[in-house]
Amino acid sequence: MREDHCTRCGACCCAFRVDFHHSELASRRSDGVPDALTVPLTATLVRMRGTDATAPRCVALEGTVGVGVRCGIYDRRPSPCHEFAPYAALGIGDEACDRARARHGLPPL
């Protein structure tokens, strides 16, 4: 069985802003992101709470970066999270994944 690096890492959840269209919210679809975990940006964009802080950390992230983490809304996470570093769980990072890991003192994948 291959190791899932993402369940240890979580650096991406503590490195970038997560903005997405409000059509992904639970108030607009049954499997959407809980509205309470977001802040409005514009008439059509929202941001995950915590991701615009000086030291960003998504409100949905549980655990310790680099040790053991999980997304509290994994099945309902927004599209930027679905699309980020699609092969990282297999140990294949990309430039953005490597930048996030470096911010937390972790080596690239």
Side-chain angles (χ1 to χ4, degrees):
M1 181 174 169
R2 200 176 288 227
E3 177 183 12
D4 179 350
H5 294 273
C6 294
T7 60
R8 270 202 347 263
C9 183
C12 57
C13 305
C14 296
F16 305 110
R17 290 185 186 109
V18 180
D19 299 347
F20 55 97
H21 194 264
H22 65 110
S23 64
E24 295 186 52
L25 292 172
S27 60
R28 297 181 179 259
R29 65 183 219 203
S30 61
D31 64 344
V33 177
D35 293 45
L37 300 183
T38 68
V39 293
L41 291 180
T42 69
T44 59
L45 288 176
V46 296
R47 178 175 289 161
M48 287 301 295
R49 286 188 184 277
T51 65
D52 61 353
T54 302
R57 183 182 173 100
C58 180
V59 68
L61 183 66
E62 300 171 1
T64 304
V65 172
V67 178
V69 295
R70 72 181 279 287
C71 174
I73 60 164
Y74 187 80
D75 292 337
R76 301 172 78 181
R77 72 196 188 280
S79 56
C81 301
H82 278 279
E83 297 163 3
F84 187 84
Y87 302 111
L90 301 174
I92 304 167
D94 59 22
E95 184 181 333
C97 176
D98 291 346
R99 281 195 328 266
R101 290 176 60 84
R103 289 178 185 171
H104 295 277
L106 300 170
L109 292 181

